[in-house]
């Protein structure tokens, strides 16, 4: 699976390693993703999501239901 957060849409970014001699080589910046299971109370089922740690904080703050609705509206949610 791709390294993409299902809530925020964060994905791998590309940049450069820059040495002391100012040589540049390509590198990747990976998002801090965790696979986490959440209990969706309205449906009564467990949902497994690949989320970034910042998305975990958003879920804790707003709740799972509201966060899923926002992610579906943005188009980042892929269940």
């Amino acid at each position: 699976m791709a390294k993409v957060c299902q809530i925020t849409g964060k994905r791998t970014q590309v940049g450069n390693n820059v040495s002391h001699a100012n040589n540049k080589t390509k590198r990747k910046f990976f998002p801090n993703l965790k696979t986490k299971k959440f209990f969706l109370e309205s449906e009564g089922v467990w949902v497994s999501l690949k989320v970034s740690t910042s998305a975990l904080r958003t879920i804790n703050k707003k709740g799972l239901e509201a966060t899923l609705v926002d992610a579906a509206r943005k188009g980042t949610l892929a269940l």
Side-chain angles (χ1 to χ4, degrees), residues 1-74:
M1 249 179 112
K3 294 186 179 185
V4 179
C5 176
Q6 291 180 307
I7 300 297
T8 61
K10 287 186 177 188
R11 55 182 60 238
T12 303
Q13 293 182 325
V14 179
N16 288 312
N17 278 328
V18 181
S19 70
H20 183 67
N22 207 26
N23 297 330
K24 295 170 184 72
T25 57
K26 285 293 186 183
R27 62 159 293 181
K28 292 183 178 180
F29 294 94
F30 296 107
N32 190 7
L33 296 180
K34 307 292 179 195
T35 301
K36 185 105 169 86
K37 289 171 73 174
F38 299 97
F39 187 70
L40 194 56
E41 291 184 22
S42 63
E43 304 281 327
V45 294
W46 287 91
V47 178
S48 182
L49 295 172
K50 188 184 279 191
V51 294
S52 62
T53 51
S54 62
L56 283 175
R57 290 173 52 122
T58 303
I59 291 170
N60 285 338
K61 182 178 179 180
K62 294 169 57 175
L64 181 61
E65 305 268 342
T67 307
L68 289 176
V69 168
D70 289 344
R73 188 178 311 127
K74 283 185 359 184

